[in-house]
Amino acid sequence: ASTQIRNVACLGGNLATASPISDMNPLLAATGAQLVLVSAKGERRVKVRDFFLGYRKVDLAPDEVILRIIVPPTRPYEFVLPIKQARR
């Protein structure tokens, strides 16, 4: 992707497209993060690990958008660090 595209990417976009090369999607799933999805019908919460249904398939209705990403806090002196294993 071009520099311009890389500078405007967002975390919600990576989640919604179920990007298999996203660095943050597995980290959010491992931390127990939740998504708040909203539509004209209201809000619902879904765990990130349950949000991914398959390759580039997510639990997002056509009229829903990602409103919020909730990442649970860590315990004192607990740290979460993603490690990239391979280059793209």
Side-chain angles (χ1 to χ4, degrees):
S2 69
T3 302
Q4 181 179 9
I5 296 300
R6 288 182 188 187
N7 289 337
V8 298
C10 70
L11 188 54
N14 276 335
L15 289 161
T17 61
S19 175
I21 61 170
S22 170
D23 298 329
M24 289 302 295
N25 292 352
L27 178 69
L28 290 170
T31 61
Q34 293 184 18
L35 302 176
V36 177
L37 309 176
V38 66
S39 70
K41 300 172 194 161
E43 288 184 8
R44 68 182 179 107
R45 285 188 182 199
V46 61
K47 291 185 177 185
V48 170
R49 69 173 169 246
D50 299 329
F51 184 67
F52 301 111
L53 302 176
Y55 179 74
R56 294 215 176 254
K57 293 184 181 176
V58 294
D59 183 16
L60 186 67
D63 64 337
E64 288 180 317
V65 295
I66 298 172
L67 176 67
R68 187 176 301 120
I69 302 166
I70 301 169
V71 180
T74 59
R75 294 181 294 243
Y77 305 106
E78 178 182 46
F79 303 94
V80 178
L81 176 70
I83 297 174
K84 190 169 189 81
Q85 295 184 4
R87 297 183 73 199
R88 292 183 197 176

